[in-house]
Amino acid sequence: MLIDGHGRVVNYLRVSVTERCNFRCQYCMPEKPFSWVPKENLLSFEELFLFIKVAIDEGVNKIRITGGEPLLREDLDSFIKIIHDYKPDIDLALTTNGYLLPETAQRLKDAGLKRLNISLDTLKPETAHKIAQKDVLNKVLKGIDKALEVGLGVKINMVPLKGINDIEILDVMHYCMDRNIKIRFIEYMENRHASDAIKGMHGKEILEKVKEGHTIKALGREGASPSFNYKIENGYEFGLIDPHKHDFCESCNRIRLTAEGNLIPCLYFDEALSIAKAVKEGDIKGASEVLATVLRDKPKENRWSMDNLDEEDISARAFYETGG
Ligand code: SAM
Ligand code: SF4
């Protein structure tokens, strides 16, 4: 069992397989980074898997593949199959913008993937274009249909933004309700890579919008899930991911690995240790030692919960690198 320096059990590893993306979401990557990480700096699937194996053997039982846009990485299904074949009962999931799902969903399912989180911030083509800076909605909606058709579990992530998609909170929720899919509203997390024009909504404001159409009952957090769950009058459940709330980090159970091999203890902070040397040398003990150090030093809580952050306190972590 993996336990961090604050006594929290860590059983969840998020693996970013690329920082590249086919969208330029305003809250994540409005500009393409000045230069991408050169392809030769990315860890191969074999190298990533060597670390994943160490993590699984030491107690990780939940793995999420993310990015950037993970479906841009070639042969992703073969990577998923390697993980699945090593431990078929592992909770193996993927987060995607959905754009490439029409052509990949079946292969992902066949490789052993169980669940997908798909980002859907709007049902209006022009708003989707505004957020992602590309005409994306039609393919994303087709991607969601395809994922459901092949039998993958689907959840939707929506980041409500003031003046952009805030008026669609109920519409996107109803879209999900009609398909019997859970929606999770994610509070916008301020970061230095996002567009200055973006203003997120606080969890309370998001709930007020839902209350315009429904009565809601708070259910609580589901284990170590970052999502606080609510139920509306007809039994439909939705989630709110509220990292600005003070108790958000109390049950944090996750660490993150980037495509270059940086092991990150907290989404907010810059600190990371590299496992690249260890996995390139096939050094299992070395990889395990890096894991132990990262867990020992995992911060107690993020700083999104602090009111009135100074400019220099805004997180420098890039969501497209860390994987959200
Ligand atoms: N490209 C994939 C996607 O968009 O689903 C996976 C990577 S993306 C970084 C993972 C999740 O992080 C997405 O649901 C996205 O909406 C969310 N995200 C990105 N930037 C964010 C921010 N500044 N605040 C809150 N959520 C953010
Ligand atoms: Fe790409 Fe996902 Fe970031 Fe949007 S949120 S730019 S889809 S990595």
Coordinates of all heavy atoms in Angstrom, one line a residue, residues 8 190 249 256 263-273 297-306 309 313-319 321-322:
R8 N -2.2 9.8 3.7 CA -3.3 9.5 2.8 C -2.9 8.3 1.9 O -1.7 8.2 1.5 CB -3.6 10.7 1.9 CG -4.1 11.9 2.6 CD -4.2 13.1 1.7 NE -2.8 13.6 1.3 CZ -2.6 14.8 0.9 NH1 -3.6 15.7 0.7 NH2 -1.3 15.2 0.6
E190 N -7.3 28.4 -12.0 CA -6.4 29.5 -12.5 C -5.0 28.9 -12.8 O -4.5 28.2 -11.9 CB -6.4 30.7 -11.6 CG -7.7 31.4 -11.3 CD -8.6 30.6 -10.4 OE1 -8.2 29.6 -9.8 OE2 -9.8 31.0 -10.2
C249 N -8.6 18.7 -0.7 CA -7.3 17.9 -0.7 C -7.3 16.8 0.4 O -6.3 16.0 0.4 CB -6.1 18.8 -0.6 SG -6.1 20.0 -1.9
R256 N 0.7 12.0 -10.5 CA 0.6 12.2 -12.0 C 2.0 12.0 -12.6 O 3.0 12.5 -12.1 CB 0.1 13.6 -12.3 CG -1.3 13.8 -11.9 CD -1.7 15.3 -12.0 NE -3.1 15.4 -11.9 CZ -3.8 15.5 -10.7 NH1 -3.2 15.5 -9.6 NH2 -5.1 15.7 -10.7
L263 N 7.3 12.8 -12.3 CA 6.3 12.3 -11.4 C 5.9 13.5 -10.5 O 6.7 14.1 -9.8 CB 6.9 11.2 -10.6 CG 5.9 10.4 -9.8 CD1 4.9 9.7 -10.7 CD2 6.6 9.3 -9.0
I264 N 4.6 13.8 -10.6 CA 4.1 15.1 -10.0 C 3.2 14.8 -8.8 O 2.2 14.1 -9.0 CB 3.4 15.9 -11.0 CG1 4.3 16.3 -12.2 CG2 2.7 17.2 -10.5 CD1 3.7 16.9 -13.4
P265 N 3.5 15.3 -7.6 CA 2.7 14.9 -6.5 C 1.4 15.8 -6.4 O 0.4 15.3 -5.8 CB 3.6 15.2 -5.3 CG 4.6 16.2 -5.7 CD 4.8 16.0 -7.2
C266 N 1.4 17.0 -6.9 CA 0.2 17.8 -6.8 C 0.0 18.7 -8.1 O 1.0 19.3 -8.6 CB 0.3 18.7 -5.6 SG -1.1 19.9 -5.4
L267 N -1.2 18.7 -8.5 CA -1.6 19.4 -9.8 C -1.2 20.9 -9.7 O -1.0 21.6 -10.7 CB -3.1 19.3 -10.0 CG -3.7 19.8 -11.3 CD1 -3.1 19.1 -12.5 CD2 -5.2 19.5 -11.3
Y268 N -1.2 21.5 -8.5 CA -1.0 22.9 -8.4 C 0.4 23.3 -8.5 O 0.8 24.3 -9.1 CB -1.6 23.4 -7.0 CG -1.5 24.9 -6.8 CD1 -2.5 25.7 -7.1 CD2 -0.3 25.4 -6.3 CE1 -2.3 27.1 -7.0 CE2 -0.1 26.8 -6.1 CZ -1.2 27.6 -6.5 OH -1.0 28.9 -6.3
F269 N 1.3 22.5 -7.8 CA 2.7 23.0 -7.6 C 3.6 22.5 -8.7 O 3.4 21.5 -9.4 CB 3.2 22.4 -6.3 CG 2.5 23.0 -5.1 CD1 1.5 22.4 -4.5 CD2 2.9 24.3 -4.6 CE1 0.8 22.9 -3.4 CE2 2.2 24.9 -3.6 CZ 1.2 24.2 -2.9
D270 N 4.7 23.2 -8.9 CA 5.8 22.9 -9.9 C 6.6 21.7 -9.6 O 7.2 21.1 -10.5 CB 6.7 24.1 -10.0 CG 6.3 25.0 -11.1 OD1 5.4 24.7 -11.8 OD2 7.0 26.1 -11.2
E271 N 6.7 21.3 -8.3 CA 7.6 20.3 -7.9 C 7.3 18.9 -8.6 O 6.2 18.6 -8.8 CB 7.5 20.0 -6.4 CG 8.3 21.0 -5.5 CD 7.6 22.4 -5.5 OE1 6.4 22.4 -5.8 OE2 8.3 23.3 -5.1
A272 N 8.5 18.3 -9.0 CA 8.3 17.0 -9.7 C 9.7 16.3 -9.6 O 10.7 17.0 -9.5 CB 7.9 17.1 -11.1
L273 N 9.7 15.0 -9.7 CA 11.0 14.2 -9.7 C 10.9 13.3 -11.0 O 9.8 12.8 -11.3 CB 11.2 13.4 -8.5 CG 11.6 14.1 -7.2 CD1 11.9 13.0 -6.1 CD2 12.9 14.9 -7.4
D297 N 6.9 13.6 0.0 CA 6.9 15.1 -0.1 C 5.6 15.6 -0.7 O 5.5 16.8 -1.0 CB 8.1 15.6 -0.9 CG 9.4 15.2 -0.2 OD1 9.4 14.9 1.0 OD2 10.4 15.2 -0.9
K298 N 4.6 14.8 -0.9 CA 3.3 15.3 -1.5 C 2.7 16.4 -0.6 O 2.6 16.2 0.6 CB 2.4 14.1 -1.6 CG 1.1 14.4 -2.4 CD 0.4 13.1 -2.7 CE -1.1 13.3 -2.9 NZ -1.5 14.2 -4.0
P299 N 2.5 17.6 -1.2 CA 1.9 18.7 -0.4 C 0.6 18.3 0.2 O -0.2 17.5 -0.3 CB 1.7 19.8 -1.5 CG 2.6 19.4 -2.6 CD 2.6 17.9 -2.6
K300 N 0.3 19.0 1.3 CA -0.9 18.8 2.1 C -2.1 19.2 1.3 O -3.2 18.6 1.2 CB -0.8 19.5 3.4 CG -2.0 19.2 4.3 CD -1.6 19.5 5.8 CE -2.7 19.2 6.7 NZ -3.5 20.4 7.0
E301 N -2.0 20.4 0.7 CA -3.1 20.9 -0.1 C -2.7 21.9 -1.2 O -1.6 22.5 -1.1 CB -4.1 21.6 0.9 CG -3.6 22.7 1.7 CD -4.5 23.2 2.8 OE1 -5.5 22.5 3.0 OE2 -4.2 24.2 3.4
N302 N -3.6 22.1 -2.1 CA -3.3 23.1 -3.2 C -3.5 24.5 -2.7 O -3.9 24.7 -1.6 CB -4.1 22.8 -4.4 CG -5.6 23.2 -4.2 OD1 -5.9 24.3 -3.8 ND2 -6.5 22.2 -4.5
R303 N -3.2 25.5 -3.5 CA -3.4 26.8 -3.1 C -4.5 27.5 -3.8 O -4.7 28.7 -3.7 CB -2.1 27.6 -3.3 CG -1.0 27.0 -2.4 CD 0.3 27.8 -2.5 NE 0.2 29.0 -1.7 CZ 1.0 30.0 -1.7 NH1 2.1 29.9 -2.5 NH2 0.9 31.0 -0.9
W304 N -5.3 26.7 -4.6 CA -6.5 27.3 -5.2 C -7.5 27.7 -4.1 O -8.3 28.6 -4.3 CB -7.2 26.4 -6.2 CG -6.5 26.3 -7.5 CD1 -6.3 27.4 -8.4 CD2 -5.8 25.2 -8.1 NE1 -5.6 26.9 -9.5 CE2 -5.3 25.6 -9.4 CE3 -5.7 23.8 -7.8 CZ2 -4.6 24.7 -10.2 CZ3 -5.0 23.0 -8.6 CH2 -4.5 23.4 -9.8
S305 N -7.4 27.0 -3.0 CA -8.3 27.2 -1.9 C -8.1 28.6 -1.2 O -8.9 29.1 -0.4 CB -8.3 26.1 -0.9 OG -7.0 26.0 -0.4
M306 N -6.9 29.2 -1.5 CA -6.6 30.5 -0.8 C -7.3 31.6 -1.5 O -7.3 31.7 -2.7 CB -5.1 30.7 -0.9 CG -4.3 29.8 0.0 SD -2.5 30.1 -0.2 CE -2.4 31.8 0.2
L309 N -5.2 35.2 -4.3 CA -3.9 34.9 -4.6 C -3.2 36.0 -5.4 O -3.8 36.7 -6.2 CB -3.9 33.7 -5.6 CG -4.0 32.3 -5.0 CD1 -3.9 31.3 -6.1 CD2 -2.9 32.0 -4.0
D313 N 1.6 33.9 -7.3 CA 1.1 32.6 -6.7 C 0.3 31.8 -7.6 O -0.1 30.7 -7.3 CB 0.3 32.9 -5.4 CG 1.2 33.3 -4.3 OD1 2.4 32.9 -4.3 OD2 0.8 34.1 -3.4
I314 N -0.1 32.3 -8.8 CA -0.9 31.6 -9.7 C -0.1 30.4 -10.2 O 1.0 30.5 -10.5 CB -1.4 32.4 -10.8 CG1 -2.3 33.5 -10.2 CG2 -2.2 31.6 -11.9 CD1 -3.2 34.3 -11.1
S315 N -0.8 29.2 -10.2 CA -0.1 28.0 -10.6 C 0.6 28.1 -11.9 O 0.0 28.5 -12.9 CB -1.1 26.8 -10.6 OG -0.4 25.7 -11.0
A316 N 1.9 27.6 -12.0 CA 2.6 27.6 -13.3 C 2.5 26.3 -14.0 O 3.0 26.1 -15.1 CB 4.1 27.9 -13.0
R317 N 1.8 25.4 -13.3 CA 1.7 24.0 -14.0 C 0.7 24.1 -15.2 O -0.3 24.7 -15.1 CB 1.0 23.1 -13.0 CG 2.1 22.4 -12.1 CD 2.0 20.9 -12.3 NE 3.3 20.3 -11.9 CZ 4.3 20.2 -12.8 NH1 4.2 20.4 -14.1 NH2 5.5 19.7 -12.4
A318 N 1.1 23.5 -16.3 CA 0.3 23.5 -17.5 C -0.6 22.3 -17.4 O -0.1 21.1 -17.3 CB 1.2 23.5 -18.7
F319 N -1.9 22.5 -17.6 CA -2.8 21.3 -17.6 C -2.5 20.4 -18.7 O -2.7 19.2 -18.6 CB -4.3 21.8 -17.6 CG -4.8 22.2 -16.3 CD1 -4.4 23.3 -15.6 CD2 -5.7 21.3 -15.6 CE1 -4.9 23.6 -14.3 CE2 -6.2 21.6 -14.4 CZ -5.7 22.7 -13.7
E321 N 0.2 19.5 -19.9 CA 1.4 18.7 -19.6 C 1.1 17.7 -18.5 O 1.5 16.6 -18.6 CB 2.5 19.7 -19.1 CG 3.9 19.1 -19.2 CD 4.9 20.1 -18.6 OE1 4.5 20.9 -17.7 OE2 6.0 20.1 -19.1
T322 N 0.4 18.2 -17.5 CA 0.1 17.4 -16.3 C -1.1 16.5 -16.5 O -1.2 15.4 -15.9 CB -0.2 18.4 -15.1 OG1 0.7 19.4 -15.2 CG2 -0.1 17.6 -13.8

